[in-house]
Amino acid sequence: MCAAVAGQRGRRVLLIDHNDEPGRKILISGGGRCNFTNLGTAPDRFLSQNPHFAKSALGRYTPAEFLALVERHGIAWHEKTLGQLFCDGSARQIVAMLLDECAKGGVDLALGGAVTAVDHADSRFRVRYGVREAEAPALVIATGGPSIPKIGATGFAYDLARRFGLKVVEPRPALVPLTLGGDEVLFRSLAGVATEVVAKCGKAAFREAALFTHRGLSGPAILQISSYWRHGETLAIDMAPDRKPGWLREAKRQQPRTTLRRAIAGAVPDRLAEALAEHIGIAAELGNATDRALEAAERSLAGWRFSPNGTEGFAKAEVTIGGVSTADLSSQTMEARRVPGLRVIGEAVDVTGWLGGYNFQWAWASGWAAAQAI
Ligand SMILES: Cc1cc2nc3c(=O)[nH]c(=O)nc-3n(C[C@H](O)[C@H](O)[C@H](O)COP(=O)(O)OP(=O)(O)OC[C@H]3O[C@@H](n4cnc5c(N)ncnc54)[C@H](O)[C@@H]3O)c2cc1C
């Protein structure tokens, strides 16, 4: 995006990527259909040490603008849920669109050569890549974060930024499945069971599906909350978000001969109901359980505590939280405050979106903002 816009503004642009094909993360995104933006984009859907940083770029290059570009290229799209826009066809169309925009801007593409050296002297950047070298007054770091190393993702942006004296906020995997150990390992036997929950960690809460896996917890609600979760913290999962306080006591009055398991099975899938009832430990018919015990059961179900022992790491994380500190960058131009001509955009920056097209919108918007100032 940045290369295309800068090129179309008349700049001579060289785009270097060490992969043999460009945009590999776009190709695997959104299950191959690329969730390219979110209509609900707003700064509060991004995590950063400076929550104000993303406002300027997001405000100047909006989802409507990206959508207009998609439509100009005749790419059919649909809204899946929660403002998430996907291609009807394939993520390849988004890569083709960006390449076409680059071609319109006369961008030169250098694929397949690793960047081996970057020097800065006399206000010029010299980049060695493969056996070649290029020199320019401006350098944009757009190499993303280390999530999914097997498709060529690296922490190169952080190494380079540090060499220029920029601070890096500790990178960690985000939008990532969480793993369970200890007694919670028993929940792994539910692998494949999904249910709608509200997942909470601190002040953050997401109502979406959660999925039990053979390693722990996944599904959109868990991926979302993983960005807020830190080692040692506990998650609270509302297993039955549509049930109002008093629902089990009401069930006792209506169906005193039913079991806790059967009552819970009205709210969650059977296998999960069985596991939850077993953990709560009320085997008797509801009519024989005390109101106090049922109230405690309701409370447990409304805030089931999980203490994940970790995440599935960068190998499975959709994004990397943290990155080049916004304190060292201009929010208008993405330029490093102390290194004129150096810019950092996209996921490499300490701005991380929720699941649902927000991360691409940040990549487009920050790339566009940087290109305006080159
Ligand atoms: C499985 C998966 C699905 C996703 N789905 C979505 C989605 O549907 N919607 C959404 O908004 N976000 C999604 N994301 C997140 C989104 O893909 C990223 O946030 C986004 O691609 C970041 O864009 P970027 O340009 O900053 O970095 P990237 O897209 O990662 O691009 C960085 C480029 O730099 C290159 N590079 C890296 N290191 C070097 C180096 N040392 N030398 C030269 N080149 C290098 C890479 O090859 C890569 O092409 C998904 C992520 C994953 C992993």
Side-chain angles (χ1 to χ4, degrees):
M1 171 61 92
C2 184
V5 176
Q8 290 175 23
R9 291 184 67 246
R11 305 296 176 263
R12 250 188 92 205
V13 183
L14 172 65
L15 173 56
I16 304 173
D17 196 311
H18 67 169
N19 273 341
D20 290 331
E21 65 176 339
R24 285 198 66 187
K25 231 174 227 183
I26 298 175
L27 294 177
I28 63 164
S29 69
R33 289 219 160 87
C34 187
N35 177 193
F36 54 79
T37 192
N38 193 299
L39 296 175
T41 296
D44 65 357
R45 287 159 187 214
F46 294 81
L47 291 83
S48 170
Q49 282 201 341
N50 176 0
H52 302 292
F53 183 84
K55 285 183 181 168
S56 171
L58 292 175
R60 285 185 295 147
Y61 190 86
T62 62
E65 261 139 316
F66 192 77
L67 189 55
L69 182 64
V70 165
E71 291 196 325
R72 278 203 297 282
H73 283 259
I75 300 173
W77 58 274
H78 62 279
E79 179 179 347
K80 199 169 171 191
T81 172
L82 303 169
Q84 302 169 3
L85 304 193
F86 285 75
C87 298
D88 287 355
S90 155
R92 287 207 173 271
Q93 295 172 287
I94 298 293
V95 176
M97 175 187 87
L98 292 170
L99 287 175
D100 193 39
E101 289 293 313
C102 281
K104 276 186 206 152
V107 173
D108 285 326
L109 225 65
L111 297 173
V115 175
T116 49
V118 179
D119 300 309
H120 183 223
D122 307 324
S123 303
R124 309 278 297 171
F125 296 91
R126 260 170 232 98
V127 178
R128 227 171 303 140
Y129 57 105
V131 291
R132 289 175 287 177
E133 196 170 286
E135 195 183 303
L139 178 69
V140 181
I141 305 177
T143 53
S147 299
I148 323 279
K150 72 168 189 246
I151 60 158
T154 68
F156 180 72
Y158 313 144
D159 301 339
L160 195 53
R162 281 195 193 100
R163 265 197 275 145
F164 281 103
L166 276 60
K167 286 191 289 296
V168 174
V169 176
E170 186 207 350
R172 17 180 209 109
L175 299 183
V176 64
L178 299 172
T179 56
L180 297 175
D183 288 346
E184 292 175 339
V185 88
L186 294 172
F187 280 94
R188 294 191 198 167
S189 64
L190 295 175
V193 172
T195 187
E196 178 148 338
V197 302
V198 176
K200 298 178 211 156
C201 186
K203 288 189 184 142
F206 293 91
R207 181 175 176 149
E208 280 186 75
L211 171 73
F212 291 90
T213 72
H214 63 282
R215 295 190 64 188
L217 296 166
S218 188
I222 301 301
L223 299 182
Q224 296 281 31
I225 212 70
S226 73
S227 300
Y228 292 83
W229 178 81
R230 298 260 186 175
H231 274 273
E233 287 181 351
T234 301
L235 301 181
I237 308 280
D238 185 345
M239 297 286 184
D242 288 325
R243 295 294 188 273
K244 296 196 172 54
W247 67 282
L248 282 178
R249 285 163 285 168
E250 185 57 29
K252 170 180 165 179
R253 272 179 283 283
Q254 304 263 335
Q255 299 167 279
R257 312 245 2 229
T258 200
T259 58
L260 181 65
R261 178 192 162 177
R262 267 186 270 139
I264 298 176
V268 304
D270 279 352
R271 277 169 68 201
L272 177 58
E274 185 181 348
L276 294 171
E278 204 174 302
H279 275 77
I280 291 170
I282 300 177
E285 292 173 348
L286 290 188
N288 293 326
T290 63
D291 275 6
R292 231 172 113 202
L294 292 177
E295 201 182 330
E298 283 171 16
R299 273 202 307 274
S300 295
L301 291 167
W304 200 273
R305 318 290 285 181
F306 282 108
S307 302
N309 62 3
T311 76
E312 292 198 23
F314 286 118
K316 292 283 163 65
E318 278 202 14
V319 285
T320 304
I321 211 162
V324 178
S325 173
T326 55
D328 291 336
L329 302 174
S330 153
S331 63
Q332 309 283 312
T333 64
M334 306 292 136
E335 190 169 25
R337 292 186 192 288
R338 286 187 298 274
V339 191
L342 180 70
R343 290 177 173 78
V344 192
I345 58 172
E347 196 177 318
V349 181
D350 172 34
V351 172
T352 308
W354 287 0
L355 185 76
Y358 298 100
N359 285 294
F360 277 135
Q361 187 57 35
W362 167 247
W364 318 137
S366 59
W368 182 92
Q372 299 309 305
I374 296 173

